[in-house]
Amino acid sequence: MSENPEKRPEHLVFVTGKLARARLEKVASTLPPERFAWSIADAGVKVAALMTEEIIRRRVTLPEGATRVILPGRCRAGTEALSRHFGLPVERGPDEIVDLPAWLGLAGRKLDLSGHDLRIFAEIVDASKMTPEAILAKGLDLARRGADVIDLGGLPDTAFPHLEDSVRLMKAAGLTVSVDSFSLDELTRGAKAGADYLLSLNEETLGLAFETGAVPVLVPMRPDDLPSLDRAIARMETAGLPYLADPILEPIHFGFVDSITRYREVRARWPQAEMMMGTGNLTELTEADSLGVTALLAGMCSELSIRNVLIVQVSNHTRRTVEEHDAARRVMYAAKADAALPKGYGRALLALHDKRPFVQTADEIAGLAAEVRDPNYRIAVAEDGIHVYNRDIHRVGTDAMAFFPELNVASDGAHAFYLGAELAKAETAWRLGKRYVQDEPLDWGAAAEAEAEDATAFKKAGHTKHSGPDAPPPGTRDLRKAAEADAAPPETIGAADARAGTDLAATPDPRKTRLVCGKLVAED
């Protein structure tokens, strides 16, 4: 009986360079053989990230039976062109080798954060004090960040004569608009101008919902008066009209816990009702990093099938609240679909600390340092501190400024400036437990704007040169041309050859090992 081809393991080819090959072999050897066969195509260049399409085409040979080619995450070669060249799918893998198993889906799920079911209403709290043009600009910016509905907030005792003009201007720009006011007159004017939603109506003002096409957000007469909300909901249900129900989230020490229970009660009484939660009473009125607060509230919304949130940004510490809610809703949606904990769905909800901050051990960095034959400084971070090394030195410490006397850059201002900035960044990463990559910004998740990156373009060479009379001027090194300067002959090996070539004295028995920070260690 012939073998069923569908049960054959996928044959992956990992393209790499000399410095990363040993670490890649160790991580690849942990992949389940029933799912993945693998080979390593060592292009012979020292730094895999510097490989170009031309280098890979010329120096990489694929073994028979290969089904997919995986490039290093920081390699800037074009995957589409290489797919045409090899006749196989070519993908860019994770930046760090230790993330390879999770990237391949071995965490039990494939990371997909494209979906969500939570609508974000972003309020412009001082709209009545802004011009229509300024309101439009603000609304477009909020929409760019992830808001679905732009909420125009009215202020008590403040006239809003340009309300209609503002609603019409925003609608003409394609925005979905809500009006939020305590004034029934302003709500009426906003609805007649074309607003899509009205915040907020209670059982006494609910008649407006029957006069316009705007969807009302229903609230109780008082936060603790759920029967009044029930009566308003029942009236809308009887009429067969759409609505959102908001039991009102209250701040900590002013009814927070009781208000959470009211959301649960409303969901139990009205299982099919569309609901809203105004998260600003917690994010704005709690001086704590808002990302974690937002994640928790988004998790509550996910459990209770609340599909609308009203957010505000007044305080400086909530300046990224739209992006934070957008990230949280995607993580919670994916986790709920998988019936899983919200863990392993990317790093967007991690700002101060990383789950796995140190991707290399001190021993692995020492091994890389021993291979360096040039004066360029490398900086890495491991659990024991900051590592700085080139062909002449390898120093470890925890104080960025303490390295200065040993780096021989006292007369080289440009280089000293560069190293000082990188070492300060490395110290921040080490102290907080964040990932550090030389020449890359720290990743602050949804709490900070990420730099746009072209995955096919090389970065401009920096100033990681050694000081001295023979050093080239800053910015004159072409890293792409230098990639093959000391290249070894290329080599493609399979899993069996990789294990056979491993130093058994230095590598534990793979049958009794586990992967820790990218390194195989013996089981306890």
Side-chain angles (χ1 to χ4, degrees):
M1 182 179 294
S2 61
E3 183 182 359
N4 184 352
E6 293 182 354
K7 294 186 177 181
R8 293 175 184 170
E10 185 178 9
H11 189 155
L12 308 177
V13 179
F14 300 111
V15 179
T16 192
K18 291 191 297 182
L19 289 179
R21 174 172 163 177
R23 294 178 62 224
L24 179 56
E25 288 182 17
K26 290 180 179 180
V27 173
S29 68
T30 68
L31 301 179
E34 68 274 9
R35 287 189 56 181
F36 300 108
W38 54 270
S39 300
I40 291 179
D42 183 350
V45 300
K46 182 177 290 185
V47 181
L50 300 184
M51 293 185 296
T52 62
E53 292 173 27
E54 192 273 332
I55 288 176
I56 294 173
R57 286 195 300 266
R58 181 161 40 83
R59 299 181 68 88
V60 169
T61 301
L62 301 185
E64 185 177 352
T67 59
R68 187 162 42 135
V69 181
I70 311 297
L71 304 180
R74 296 190 179 92
C75 175
R76 293 316 187 219
T79 55
E80 292 184 5
L82 290 174
S83 293
R84 292 192 295 269
H85 172 76
F86 289 118
L88 290 174
V90 177
E91 301 176 34
R92 187 171 286 104
D95 286 352
E96 303 295 346
I97 292 173
V98 295
D99 295 329
L100 189 57
W103 184 84
L104 289 170
L106 295 178
R109 63 182 69 94
K110 192 70 175 179
L111 187 62
D112 179 7
L113 299 178
S114 61
H116 67 81
D117 62 354
L118 189 66
R119 185 187 292 117
I120 295 175
F121 287 66
E123 182 178 359
I124 303 176
V125 296
D126 53 353
S128 58
K129 296 182 178 180
M130 300 167 62
T131 66
E133 292 74 22
I135 291 172
L136 175 61
K138 180 69 173 179
L140 291 172
D141 180 61
L142 291 170
R144 176 190 64 80
R145 297 184 184 198
D148 303 292
V149 182
I150 309 305
D151 183 59
L152 300 183
L155 295 173
D157 303 319
T158 302
F160 201 162
H162 52 292
L163 172 60
E164 290 90 341
D165 289 341
S166 300
V167 172
R168 295 188 188 104
L169 193 62
M170 296 176 74
K171 292 294 295 179
L175 297 173
T176 303
V177 181
S178 63
V179 174
D180 188 351
S181 177
F182 291 109
S183 167
L184 188 60
D185 174 66
E186 287 184 347
L187 292 174
T188 303
R189 291 165 51 208
K192 290 182 177 180
D196 302 278
Y197 297 89
L198 299 178
L199 284 72
S200 298
L201 299 180
N202 56 43
E203 64 174 339
E204 292 185 353
T205 58
L206 187 53
L208 181 59
F210 295 85
E211 301 172 8
T212 71
V215 176
V217 177
L218 309 180
V219 296
M221 295 295 293
R222 299 184 315 276
D224 61 349
D225 185 7
L226 274 190
S228 68
L229 180 59
D230 285 332
R231 291 189 292 269
I233 292 174
R235 187 175 171 188
M236 297 301 292
E237 288 283 344
T238 300
L241 295 176
Y243 65 91
L244 308 179
D246 184 359
I248 303 179
L249 185 71
E250 295 190 277
I252 293 172
H253 297 152
F254 290 86
F256 168 62
V257 173
D258 287 341
S259 67
I260 290 295
T261 63
R262 288 195 290 270
Y263 280 92
R264 179 69 184 89
E265 290 177 26
V266 171
R267 173 54 69 216
R269 296 180 195 179
W270 306 95
Q272 304 305 319
E274 287 293 332
M275 296 178 64
M276 170 181 277
M277 177 183 286
T279 59
N281 274 350
L282 223 63
T283 57
E284 284 286 326
L285 303 180
T286 307
E287 287 194 0
D289 290 327
S290 59
L291 182 53
V293 176
T294 297
L296 179 63
L297 294 177
M300 291 181 181
C301 289
S302 181
E303 281 203 3
L304 294 174
S305 296
I306 297 171
R307 289 185 280 268
N308 303 271
V309 288
L310 173 65
I311 69 174
V312 295
Q313 190 273 300
V314 178
S315 304
N316 286 326
H317 77 281
T318 63
R319 68 185 66 193
R320 294 279 296 178
T321 190
V322 179
E323 292 86 349
E324 291 171 3
H325 279 81
D326 182 49
R329 65 179 172 176
R330 296 173 187 278
V331 169
M332 299 304 166
Y333 180 82
K336 187 175 184 178
D338 292 335
L341 296 169
K343 298 182 64 175
Y345 290 91
R347 299 162 64 190
L349 300 183
L350 294 172
L352 290 181
H353 316 293
D354 274 323
K355 182 178 178 181
R356 195 172 190 179
F358 308 121
V359 298
Q360 294 173 284
T361 66
D363 289 344
E364 287 171 338
I365 295 174
L368 292 174
E371 297 287 331
V372 173
R373 297 293 181 268
D374 61 68
N376 299 325
Y377 285 110
R378 280 80 167 174
I379 303 172
V381 174
E383 193 163 3
D384 63 336
I386 308 161
H387 291 245
V388 182
Y389 60 92
N390 64 5
R391 69 184 178 191
D392 301 312
I393 69 168
H394 179 188
R395 299 290 184 268
V396 183
T398 59
D399 180 354
M401 296 299 104
F403 289 100
F404 180 76
E406 300 185 74
L407 298 181
N408 190 29
V409 291
S411 60
D412 185 348
H415 197 195
F417 180 88
Y418 166 81
L419 289 175
E422 280 297 313
L423 287 168
K425 185 175 68 178
E427 181 180 340
T428 298
W430 180 79
R431 292 190 180 280
L432 289 177
K434 293 185 65 63
R435 286 193 176 185
Y436 167 84
V437 179
Q438 189 171 356
D439 294 326
E440 298 287 342
L442 296 181
D443 184 350
W444 300 103
E449 190 77 34
E451 293 184 10
E453 183 179 15
D454 183 354
T456 65
F458 286 89
K459 289 180 178 290
K460 183 179 179 180
H463 301 289
T464 53
K465 65 182 184 61
H466 184 73
S467 301
D470 298 323
T476 61
R477 296 172 298 131
D478 190 331
L479 299 181
R480 288 168 289 183
K481 293 180 180 178
E484 291 186 275
D486 57 352
E491 181 181 14
T492 301
I493 61 172
D497 294 328
R499 284 193 290 271
T502 302
D503 182 359
L504 296 180
T507 305
D509 182 349
R511 295 168 298 180
K512 301 178 181 179
T513 62
R514 58 191 174 93
L515 189 66
V516 177
C517 293
K519 183 176 182 180
L520 284 175
V521 299
E523 289 282 11
D524 295 334

